[in-house]
């Protein structure tokens, strides 16, 4: 398969990629709002209805890695056609679902197809926009962040004025992007190669038991996670072409970038998960007001992504990652200080943390693209996407547990505000410390080895 294929209409391809990413991310966040309505419709307990999200995330995470691996061998047009058709089929099936089992099956089918989207959308800039990679990654990441912010607003509007089943029908509209993607993606031929399906099954077992253990709180499942991990290590060492090459993790730079991105996204997803809960419980805001308070942050992420992507191309990916971590740590410190103040003040402070989302994603992806060999870009970026989804499940489970059992009246932050927002202040302070750890470990691994991947100013898309 030839690399860096000539794209006849770069702007058209970029618009198509952004559209499919927007609709994919919104599909995930919209259903967060609908979970209580689904529980009411089928008279479900919280533990039962949680499978609407748990099952989706589990399949989505495994699928993102699998599609990344397949992208090393199969044409993007083939994979994206398969993924979108399956996703649309699952959406239509969910719209006509007659019981909860059918709803769950629909979500799983959606995840099987939808997992293709982040895998290929983050790989496309590397393959088709080599001279503007940072800029395009920044735009894609900003769309992802923006969609995460407006998804709950759109979900609340659709579920409130129509019915939660129409969320499935809305998601099915993603199929309209397929003709444009197929038109703008260059034709490619499949490349021969061996795919370790046994290794893929072992990895799926490891990830699924890990996510189930995290989201359901069943610690005994981690025994199976450890068993699958051991079998994976054995498999990597025993065959020539394992599903994930072991030498990927021997690179200190690859490990450092993956860890830093993971820690950053854990905190960002944790913030996104926690803020609606905080504004509802501590401030008494309704769903629409929560969406409006969070909207400036989502908009700032969309705007910053485009600027940050250009910075990656001109100043270098490492510079942008340091900038992103600095903004993120500063934003969490300010949130720890001002949580409990007017919601409008908090909304303004959220912007600082939110705008770092696309910077973390774009700079990390660009660093990895320079580290990885072209023949392993797909699986290497697949691991990157996998860790992002694991981080979302991990942060949600840990924060949910902390909010259940931890009820302080005084924050650790000396400048924080006392009262029922103290727990949120302490969690934001913990986020700031995690970001500091990520910054330091990245710095240690890149110290005296740093390379600024500055490219010549490219022509506009």
């Amino acid at each position: 398969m030839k690399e860096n294929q000539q794209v006849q209409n770069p702007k058209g391809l970029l618009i198509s990629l952004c559209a499919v990413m927007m609709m994919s991310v919104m599909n995930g966040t919209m259903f967060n709002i609908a979970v209580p309505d689904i529980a009411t419709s089928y008279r479900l307990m919280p533990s039962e209805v949680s499978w609407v999200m748990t099952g989706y995330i589990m399949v989505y995470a495994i699928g993102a890695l699998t599609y990344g691996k397949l992208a090393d061998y199969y044409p993007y047009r083939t994979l994206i056609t398969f993924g979108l058709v399956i996703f649309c089929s699952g959406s239509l099936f969910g719209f006509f679902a007659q019981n909860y089992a059918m709803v769950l099956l629909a979500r799983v089918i959606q995840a099987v197809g939808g997992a293709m989207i982040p895998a290929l959308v983050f790989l496309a800039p590397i393959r088709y926009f080599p001279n503007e990679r940072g800029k395009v990654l920044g735009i894609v990441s900003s769309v992802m962040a923006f969609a995460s912010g407006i998804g709950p607003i759109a979900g609340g509007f659709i579920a409130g004025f129509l019915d939660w089943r129409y969320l499935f029908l809305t998601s099915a509209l993603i199929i309209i992007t397929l003709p444009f993607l197929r038109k703008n993606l260059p034709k490619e031929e499949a490349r021969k190669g061996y795919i370790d399906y046994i290794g893929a099954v072992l990895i799926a077992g490891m990830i699924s038991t890990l996510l189930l253990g995290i989201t359901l709180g069943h610690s005994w499942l981690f025994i199976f996670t450890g068993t699958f991990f051991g079998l994976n290590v054995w498999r990597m060492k025993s065959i020539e072409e394992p599903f994930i090459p072991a030498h990927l993790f021997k690179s200190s730079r690859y490990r450092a970038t993956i860890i830093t991105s993971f820690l950053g996204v854990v905190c960002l997803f944790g913030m996104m998960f926690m803020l609606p809960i905080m504004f509802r419980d501590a401030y008494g805001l309704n769903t629409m007001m929560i969406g409006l308070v969070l909207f400036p942050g989502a908009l700032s992420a969309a705007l910053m992504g485009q600027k940050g992507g250009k910075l990656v191309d001109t100043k270098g990916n490492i510079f942008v990652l340091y900038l992103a971590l600095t903004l993120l740590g500063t934003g969490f410190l300010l949130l720890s200080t001002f949580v409990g103040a007017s919601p409008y003040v908090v909304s303004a402070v959220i912007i600082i943390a939110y705008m770092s989302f696309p910077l973390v994603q774009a700079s990390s992806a660009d660093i990895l693209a320079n580290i990885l060999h072209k023949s392993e870009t797909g699986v290497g970026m697949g691991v990157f996407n996998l860790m992002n989804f694991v981080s979302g499940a991990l942060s949600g489970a840990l924060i949910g547990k902390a909010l259940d059992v931890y009820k302080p009246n005084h924050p650790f932050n000396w400048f924080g505000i006392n009262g029922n927002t103290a727990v949120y202040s302490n969690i934001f302070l913990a986020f700031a410390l995690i970001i500091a750890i990520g910054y330091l470990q990245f710095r240690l691994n890149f110290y005296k080895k740093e390379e600024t991947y500055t490219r010549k100013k490219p022509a506009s898309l």
Side-chain angles (χ1 to χ4, degrees):
M1 189 184 295
K2 295 180 181 180
E3 298 294 333
N4 300 335
Q5 295 280 345
Q6 183 65 37
V7 178
Q8 297 299 321
N9 184 4
K11 185 174 291 186
L13 176 57
L14 179 57
I15 293 172
S16 302
L17 291 172
C18 289
V20 75
M21 176 61 93
M22 169 78 80
M23 299 181 75
S24 172
V25 174
M26 286 182 62
N27 171 72
T29 55
M30 284 192 305
F31 274 90
N32 289 338
I33 296 293
V35 165
D37 293 335
I38 296 173
T40 301
S41 296
Y42 297 109
R43 299 178 181 177
L44 301 171
M45 298 291 290
S47 59
E48 295 173 313
V49 76
S50 67
W51 278 97
V52 170
M53 300 308 301
T54 300
Y56 184 84
I57 292 173
M58 186 171 64
V59 177
Y60 205 87
I62 298 168
L65 173 61
T66 304
Y67 280 112
K69 179 70 174 181
L70 294 176
D72 287 331
Y73 301 103
Y74 294 98
Y76 283 17
R77 285 173 54 142
T78 301
L79 294 176
I80 211 158
T81 300
F82 173 82
L84 288 183
V85 169
I86 295 297
F87 181 89
C88 184
S89 300
S91 300
L92 293 175
F93 184 78
F95 179 68
F96 293 105
Q98 299 299 309
N99 53 56
Y100 183 53
M102 293 178 69
V103 172
L104 285 182
L105 179 58
R107 288 291 282 167
V108 169
I109 296 172
Q110 275 191 324
V112 170
M116 165 277 309
I117 296 169
L120 300 191
V121 167
F122 272 97
L123 284 169
I126 298 172
R127 176 172 293 185
Y128 303 122
F129 301 90
N131 296 322
E132 298 179 285
R133 187 172 61 206
K135 174 184 176 181
V136 176
L137 283 170
I139 293 172
V140 168
S141 298
S142 68
V143 169
M144 183 177 179
F146 184 69
S148 298
I150 67 170
I153 301 175
F157 180 84
I158 294 170
F161 286 90
L162 296 172
D163 184 78
W164 62 264
R165 290 176 179 82
Y166 282 87
L167 296 178
F168 279 112
L169 194 60
T170 303
S171 297
L173 294 175
I174 200 171
I175 198 67
I176 64 177
T177 64
L178 181 57
F180 301 99
L181 286 165
R182 287 188 59 86
K183 178 182 178 181
N184 292 308
L185 283 168
K187 294 182 179 180
E188 300 167 317
E189 295 181 0
R191 183 168 65 88
K192 292 182 179 180
Y194 170 76
I195 297 179
D196 176 24
Y197 292 105
I198 294 177
V201 171
L202 293 175
I203 291 169
M206 181 179 70
I207 298 303
S208 60
T209 54
L210 174 64
L211 291 177
L212 285 173
I214 291 171
T215 55
L216 301 183
H218 296 327
S219 57
W220 57 268
L221 284 169
F222 297 135
I223 297 174
F224 291 97
T225 303
T227 302
F228 279 117
F229 176 78
L231 291 172
N232 270 299
V233 172
W234 168 78
R235 183 73 180 175
M236 282 190 219
K237 294 181 178 180
S238 62
I239 66 172
E240 291 185 5
E241 297 183 48
F243 193 79
I244 298 180
H247 64 259
L248 279 182
F249 302 102
K250 293 180 180 178
S251 167
S252 61
R253 291 184 172 189
Y254 183 82
R255 290 198 312 270
T257 306
I258 289 290
I259 291 171
T260 301
S261 173
F262 175 80
L263 294 177
V265 175
V266 160
C267 296
L268 281 163
F269 280 172
M271 178 186 72
M272 294 177 186
F273 172 82
M274 188 171 64
L275 285 173
I277 298 174
M278 181 187 77
F279 283 122
R280 183 194 65 203
D281 294 345
Y283 285 86
L285 302 183
N286 59 34
T287 301
M288 187 57 67
M289 282 301 300
I290 291 172
L292 292 175
V293 169
L294 296 179
F295 182 75
L299 182 60
S300 72
L303 297 174
M304 176 56 77
Q306 299 183 44
K307 300 294 183 181
K310 292 178 181 178
L311 281 177
V312 169
D313 287 326
T314 55
K315 296 292 186 179
N317 41 38
I318 294 177
F319 169 83
V320 174
L321 184 55
Y322 285 148
L323 174 63
L325 294 175
T326 301
L327 282 173
L328 196 53
T330 302
F332 287 141
L333 280 175
L334 291 173
L335 280 170
S336 176
T337 302
F338 289 103
V339 162
S342 165
Y344 301 107
V345 173
V346 178
S347 177
V349 175
I350 289 170
I351 292 174
I352 300 174
Y354 229 119
M355 68 170 57
S356 66
F357 187 114
L359 299 183
V360 171
Q361 293 284 87
S363 57
S364 299
D366 198 69
I367 291 171
L368 292 175
N370 283 289
I371 294 171
L372 294 165
H373 188 273
K374 288 182 179 180
S375 64
E376 295 175 341
T377 302
V379 67
M381 294 301 293
V383 172
F384 170 72
N385 283 312
L386 171 66
M387 296 301 288
N388 284 342
F389 294 118
V390 171
S391 69
L394 177 63
S395 61
L398 293 179
I399 291 171
K401 183 66 68 175
L403 294 178
D404 286 341
V405 302
Y406 185 46
K407 306 290 183 182
N409 290 318
H410 305 285
F412 290 125
N413 186 334
W414 289 348
F415 304 101
I417 298 173
N418 294 330
N420 61 351
T421 58
V423 60
Y424 303 105
S425 175
N426 289 346
I427 292 175
F428 282 126
L429 186 62
F431 284 169
L433 293 175
I434 291 172
I435 296 302
I437 293 171
Y439 185 102
L440 289 174
Q441 73 88 29
F442 185 83
R443 184 77 181 177
L444 288 173
N445 280 282
F446 277 75
Y447 184 64
K448 292 184 179 179
K449 304 178 188 176
E450 296 186 16
E451 297 178 31
T452 302
Y453 301 103
T454 305
R455 289 176 281 275
K456 293 180 180 180
K457 186 176 182 181
S460 299
L461 288 174

